[in-house]
Amino acid sequence: MKLSRKWLEQYMDLSGLDMNDVASAVTDAGFEVEEILPMSSGTNLVIGEVLTCVDHPDSDHLHLTTVDTGDGIRQIVCGAPNVAAGQKVIVALPGAKLPGGEIRSGSIRGQQSDGMICSLAELGVDKHSLTEEQLAGIEVLPADAPVGNTDPRGYLGLNDVVLDISLTPNRADCQAVWNMAAETAAILKRPAEFPEYEGAGNAGNDKETDLVISSTTEKCPSFLGKIIGSITIKESPKWMKELLRASGVHSINNVVDISNIVMLETGQPMHFYDLDALPASELICKDGLECEYTALDGITYSIQPEDLIITSAGKPVGIAGIMGGDDSKIEENTTRLLIEVATFDHVSIRNTARRLALNTEASVRYQRGIEPLAAKKALDRAVDLLIRYADAKDIEKTVVYGTDGYIPRTITCTLAEINGRLGTDFVLDEVMDVFKRLSLEPELDGDLITVHVPSTRQDLEGMADLSEEVIRMIGYDRLPSTLPLMEMTEGKLNPQQKQRRFIRTMLLENGLQDAVTYTLVSQAKNDNAILGRGNALELPVPLSEERRFIRRSILPSLLETLSYNLSRGNKNVSLFEISELTSDQGVDKHLAIVLNGNLESVRWLNQTLPTDFYTIKGLIEEMLIRLGIGENRIYFKENKTDTRHFHPGRSAEVYIGKDLIGITGEIHPLYAKENGIRQAVMAEIDLDKVLGTKKSKVRFSPVSKYPAVSRDLAFVVKKDVPAGKIVDVIKRSGKLDKEAVVRSVEVFDVYEGEHVADDEKSIALNMTFQSDRHTLDDAMITKVFNDIIDAIQKQCKAVLRSA
């Protein structure tokens, strides 16, 4: 398995790591890196232009050239037979260090030579990847190569490093670059993002097709075919050619290269046929044939009855799972395409490949095993790339024979079982983190951990396999050993760390999921920063436009994650993230929450807790109160700070005393549409202000042994008077002998309509009275009750409706 740095960097950020670090981490996790192979090497190189080229006066094979290197003209003696004036070439200047040694100025047969014109082989490029012409002479660059460019290796895409990884028999899934990259990301604890291609193969499904796809043998249980009615054969994009070269595959043209790149990405071999070269619009997999057949390599093979053959109109057109035919290959004049993606019996492919001595990239993958869903992934990805890079049009309906046979599996275990098997003392968070990083989607029910085995991981069958995953990801150095007894320094969390951990735990307890999103964001997300302070810091050389700025707000990233989940059928998504944000004014810590659907659901009781404004308001209140911030210090006021991202009538500013700490509420409909979301409630909280607020100790209060009394009140007030103001007045006024005897206030009705003026509303409240000192008699309650009525009438200009 060959994996290059450039290919990994398409999916994850490897900043701060060189390939030696990656190789070490991957090896420690059970994938032996046999070799770290630079695709080329050399220092002090430059692109030059050969101005003149004449025969050396004292040699029958050397040439005397003058070369413009951008900083002057140098005389260089060159022995390559293909050197000529007007060529753009790679020049190693004096002092350059190449795999063969250091280049120095000197005299060659009486003529001064100030450098060397290089071939790719002299730069250490694998000779097996070079043509005979390239091996015989210097490398001639395109006519538009920039003279004076000091990075010719980068210009040619040879500034890459390749890991040659030996896979164990049980990890056939890592034959696919995507799977190996996901594994590498999990090992390095770095987020990975893969191309979005799902469903691309559905293009044309609204069009009928006369294509016939079938199989007459049990050795081909699943077979997919699709006609692309119009394609353009041309040169492949630079990135594709570079990745193929790093994998040891020659670039041919865009269409053939797409079939190879998809096989490398997904691990699923596929074959493209020139539709016009086939005898019929038909592909049928058969065995039982005995014939001679000429494959793509031009060699004629003897086909035996046990071999699987792809046929069209009864004529062989490919050796199934191994190699296509010479008579239907993609040519420069190909305009129509037939895609074949199938599942074949690995034993049959192994026997045929061994007998024919044809160990192709496709046959090796079939022999080791392919994940059940790889065929659909490969078809989707191939159509996606053909549309983008081969101008694919007139796409017809996908024809499917058989089924993939995939049945989702789950495995259960407990932390005690894993620790018991490994002899370790891992905590639950460590084990759950491993399962999450490996995309096993762990669920915890009491002590029982249930993991959902991805289609790629057919090697996971039981608890023993899960324990192996845990130890190899956490590290074999964590296996217990006996150490000398010595003094240890106590490690502990500081107060702010404790509070952050408490907030995270509390939100997890309430059913939210802890998310980790990218620190680097696009211009659009930066422009939509919520509670963002200062100006964003821009990377001088960003990896892409999507990763240009260091973010000042978390919510835009969380909303993207919500949209991603909703678009894939995930419902009831409740997320939060705690992260540091950086701007030109410093570093801030924020908490963001996004809720969609139901926060809780008990189907057998037919009970749900919907996520609305009051749900997220309650979460914030509970968090602040449990941190030790008194309920009387927490205020929610009308949102006037941000009505672009929040619904102006269904959102609020959150205050601790006079300090604005955040905004919460329903997403603005227009902003929701921008993010591909129908409905969500969200909040962004300045965590630094919360953590820096002086807090009271959370103390235990015994339950009062005296009875409680409930009373109702209804007032008519102006519409602009918030119910919260009345609640505050009740709490401040509900005292008896300096003891607060109003234990709770609940608004249970707000009425507007008949018998109430147009600019007024009726608010009904329920109050509970209770003392910790004695039983409250009617006189005491009546006194407090009347005091409350008087205070409300004066401070809220209310009219008593009923009591």
Side-chain angles (χ1 to χ4, degrees):
M1 169 67 191
K2 291 185 176 180
L3 189 65
S4 77
R5 182 183 184 95
K6 282 187 179 179
W7 213 329
L8 279 177
E9 286 180 331
Q10 284 202 345
Y11 314 126
M12 69 192 76
D13 181 9
L14 290 181
S15 58
L17 296 173
D18 62 27
M19 288 306 275
N20 288 313
D21 299 326
V22 176
S24 177
V26 168
T27 300
D28 288 344
F31 298 94
E32 181 183 358
V33 177
E34 295 184 337
E35 199 171 1
I36 303 174
L37 301 166
M39 289 193 65
S40 66
S41 62
T43 61
N44 209 16
L45 302 174
V46 68
I47 294 177
E49 181 177 7
V50 180
L51 302 178
T52 64
C53 178
V54 297
D55 291 339
H56 193 292
D58 294 323
S59 172
D60 61 354
H61 69 282
L62 296 177
H63 304 279
L64 197 60
T65 68
T66 56
V67 182
D68 178 7
T69 58
D71 60 350
I73 298 175
R74 300 170 183 268
Q75 178 172 285
I76 298 175
V77 176
C78 179
N82 64 329
V83 65
Q87 293 174 338
K88 301 289 181 68
V89 293
I90 303 170
V91 180
L93 301 177
K97 293 183 180 179
L98 303 181
E102 185 175 341
I103 304 302
R104 295 189 176 93
S105 295
S107 177
I108 300 178
R109 296 195 181 186
Q111 296 292 329
Q112 180 68 22
S113 183
D114 195 20
M116 183 177 82
I117 302 176
C118 302
S119 69
L120 291 184
E122 288 165 330
L123 298 181
V125 176
D126 183 10
K127 294 181 180 180
H128 295 93
S129 68
L130 302 177
T131 63
E132 291 183 7
E133 183 181 355
Q134 288 175 313
L135 288 170
I138 61 170
E139 182 69 10
V140 179
L141 305 181
D144 59 353
V147 174
N149 185 314
T150 57
D151 186 19
R153 293 169 54 234
Y155 173 78
L156 292 173
L158 294 171
N159 56 339
D160 202 355
V161 181
V162 179
L163 299 183
D164 190 354
I165 304 171
S166 175
L167 301 178
T168 53
N170 66 317
R171 292 309 304 270
D173 60 298
C174 288
Q175 296 176 110
V177 170
W178 283 348
N179 295 341
M180 190 66 222
E183 191 78 20
T184 304
I187 292 167
L188 299 176
K189 299 182 180 179
R190 298 202 170 195
E193 186 172 345
F194 295 92
E196 293 188 12
Y197 63 93
E198 188 176 352
N202 296 329
N205 277 359
D206 57 341
K207 297 181 181 179
E208 290 303 319
T209 180
D210 59 358
L211 174 64
V212 175
I213 296 292
S214 185
S215 169
T216 62
T217 171
E218 295 178 354
K219 298 175 185 176
C220 177
S222 174
F223 199 166
L224 285 73
K226 193 175 189 72
I227 289 176
I228 309 295
S230 172
I231 57 164
T232 303
I233 303 294
K234 54 187 174 181
E235 187 179 1
S236 295
K238 185 173 183 288
W239 69 266
M240 192 178 294
K241 292 192 291 186
E242 290 180 2
L243 296 185
L244 288 173
R245 181 191 294 153
S247 298
V249 180
H250 288 288
S251 175
I252 297 174
N253 57 51
N254 58 333
V255 173
V256 176
D257 288 355
I258 284 171
S259 70
N260 286 326
I261 205 82
V262 171
M263 176 184 67
L264 294 172
E265 286 178 336
T266 65
Q268 170 70 53
M270 64 192 322
H271 192 70
F272 291 171
Y273 298 88
D274 184 334
L275 183 59
D276 294 323
L278 293 175
S281 182
E282 169 190 274
L283 290 179
I284 299 177
C285 183
K286 298 180 178 181
D287 58 7
L289 299 180
E290 191 169 356
C291 60
E292 299 293 314
Y293 184 67
T294 303
L296 272 172
D297 57 4
I299 299 174
T300 300
Y301 295 94
S302 177
I303 303 302
Q304 300 298 316
E306 62 269 20
D307 299 330
L308 288 175
I309 298 296
I310 305 298
T311 67
S312 181
K315 178 185 175 183
V317 293
I319 306 174
I322 299 177
M323 187 177 287
D326 186 61
D327 51 358
S328 59
K329 65 183 179 182
I330 304 301
E331 303 278 11
E332 293 300 318
N333 59 354
T334 298
T335 58
R336 298 201 301 158
L337 195 69
L338 173 53
I339 301 174
E340 168 221 307
V341 192
T343 302
F344 302 118
D345 176 63
H346 68 280
V347 175
S348 176
I349 299 298
R350 183 186 301 118
N351 292 338
T352 300
R354 183 185 296 122
R355 184 175 57 79
L356 299 179
L358 264 180
N359 281 316
T360 61
E361 290 282 348
S363 67
V364 168
R365 282 168 168 78
Y366 275 120
Q367 291 173 57
R368 291 182 176 177
I370 298 171
E371 68 151 308
L373 302 184
K376 181 64 169 65
K377 294 178 182 178
L379 183 64
D380 283 347
R381 179 61 167 164
V383 173
D384 172 51
L385 293 177
L386 287 168
I387 291 172
R388 286 197 277 165
Y389 299 109
D391 308 321
K393 299 181 182 67
D394 300 328
I395 302 172
E396 296 183 12
K397 180 180 181 180
T398 302
V399 181
V400 180
Y401 168 82
T403 62
D404 54 43
Y406 174 62
I407 301 175
R409 291 186 294 114
T410 61
I411 303 174
T412 58
C413 64
T414 65
L415 179 63
E417 287 175 337
I418 289 176
N419 279 330
R421 183 174 182 83
L422 298 174
T424 53
D425 57 356
F426 297 144
V427 299
L428 183 61
D429 285 347
E430 290 179 292
V431 173
M432 294 291 281
D433 176 60
V434 167
F435 293 157
K436 288 174 184 176
R437 281 156 46 201
L438 292 172
S439 300
L440 298 180
E441 301 177 4
E443 297 176 357
L444 186 64
D445 184 7
D447 294 332
L448 192 67
I449 303 170
T450 301
V451 302
H452 299 266
V453 180
S455 63
T456 55
R457 296 301 306 273
Q458 297 300 298
D459 59 305
L460 298 182
E461 298 178 352
M463 187 278 293
D465 298 313
L466 296 183
S467 63
E468 180 184 350
E469 295 300 293
V470 170
I471 192 60
R472 73 180 185 86
M473 295 299 289
I474 294 179
Y476 294 100
D477 56 343
R478 286 286 303 277
L479 287 171
S481 57
T482 303
L483 298 174
L485 184 63
M486 61 183 70
E487 290 288 333
M488 299 295 289
T489 303
E490 181 185 4
K492 58 183 179 181
L493 303 176
N494 63 36
Q496 287 207 350
Q497 289 172 327
K498 288 181 180 178
Q499 291 179 67
R500 284 201 302 273
R501 180 168 293 186
F502 168 78
I503 291 170
R504 180 174 278 108
T505 302
M506 191 220 85
L507 293 173
L508 290 170
E509 289 172 350
N510 280 277
L512 280 72
Q513 292 183 315
D514 194 353
V516 179
T517 55
Y518 281 107
T519 299
L520 301 177
V521 297
S522 63
Q523 178 73 58
K525 287 189 176 64
N526 178 54
D527 293 342
N528 283 298
I530 296 168
L531 284 186
R533 186 165 69 102
N535 298 311
L537 301 180
E538 183 177 359
L539 272 62
V541 186
L543 295 173
S544 68
E545 289 301 316
E546 288 297 309
R547 305 284 175 254
R548 177 171 288 277
F549 297 93
I550 299 177
R551 64 181 177 181
R552 299 176 297 135
S553 174
I554 306 175
L555 269 181
S557 300
L558 268 192
L559 290 170
E560 180 184 36
T561 303
L562 172 63
S563 176
Y564 181 89
N565 277 271
L566 294 176
S567 66
R568 281 153 183 79
N570 292 333
K571 300 177 181 179
N572 304 325
V573 181
S574 301
L575 304 171
F576 76 92
E577 181 174 3
I578 297 173
S579 182
E580 288 187 345
L581 308 175
T582 305
S583 68
D584 59 356
Q585 294 188 17
V587 179
D588 301 308
K589 291 184 182 67
H590 276 206
L591 161 67
I593 301 173
V594 171
L595 306 179
N596 174 271
N598 295 321
L599 183 61
E600 295 177 4
S601 179
V602 184
R603 294 180 63 182
W604 70 281
L605 290 177
N606 198 26
Q607 292 180 350
T608 58
L609 177 60
T611 53
D612 55 16
F613 171 82
Y614 297 101
T615 306
I616 197 166
K617 174 177 177 287
L619 281 172
I620 295 170
E621 284 179 320
E622 181 186 3
M623 177 187 75
L624 297 177
I625 291 170
R626 289 177 62 180
L627 281 172
I629 300 171
E631 190 176 357
N632 58 343
R633 297 171 60 194
I634 303 168
Y635 298 96
F636 291 84
K637 299 181 180 180
E638 181 184 355
N639 173 27
K640 297 180 180 179
T641 302
D642 186 344
T643 55
R644 176 170 173 254
H645 301 102
F646 289 86
H647 193 300
R650 300 175 186 176
S651 59
E653 299 167 358
V654 187
Y655 285 83
I656 297 177
K658 296 181 180 180
D659 293 328
L660 173 67
I661 64 161
I663 307 174
T664 185
E666 192 172 308
I667 189 171
H668 194 288
L670 295 179
Y671 188 47
K673 188 176 181 181
E674 287 179 29
N675 285 275
I677 298 168
R678 289 186 177 181
Q679 179 273 336
V681 288
M682 58 187 189
E684 182 127 358
I685 304 294
D686 186 335
L687 213 54
D688 283 334
K689 289 184 178 179
V690 174
L691 301 181
T693 297
K694 187 176 180 181
K695 301 173 183 65
S696 305
K697 287 186 178 181
V698 179
R699 299 180 182 277
F700 165 77
S701 297
V703 177
S704 176
K705 60 183 179 181
Y706 300 104
V709 178
S710 178
R711 292 281 181 91
D712 291 342
L713 267 178
F715 285 95
V716 175
V717 294
K718 295 293 184 181
K719 281 187 177 180
D720 59 354
V721 176
K725 182 177 180 180
I726 299 175
V727 173
D728 288 340
V729 171
I730 292 172
K731 289 181 177 179
R732 288 197 303 268
S733 306
K735 295 183 179 180
L736 183 68
D737 298 331
K738 298 184 179 181
E739 180 191 6
V741 294
V742 177
R743 292 301 165 90
S744 67
V745 183
E746 180 182 359
V747 177
F748 65 85
D749 184 56
V750 177
Y751 172 76
E752 297 175 14
E754 190 178 357
H755 306 304
V756 177
D758 291 343
D759 62 342
E760 293 179 339
K761 62 184 175 181
S762 171
I763 298 178
L765 309 99
N766 174 265
M767 298 172 289
T768 300
F769 300 87
Q770 190 176 33
S771 172
D772 291 330
R773 302 173 185 172
H774 50 77
T775 300
L776 297 175
D777 59 28
D778 286 343
M780 296 175 181
I781 294 172
T782 300
K783 180 182 182 306
V784 176
F785 193 61
N786 291 334
D787 290 344
I788 289 172
I789 292 173
D790 291 341
I792 293 173
Q793 289 175 330
K794 291 177 182 178
Q795 297 179 37
C796 301
K797 297 181 180 179
V799 176
L800 181 65
R801 190 178 185 190
S802 66

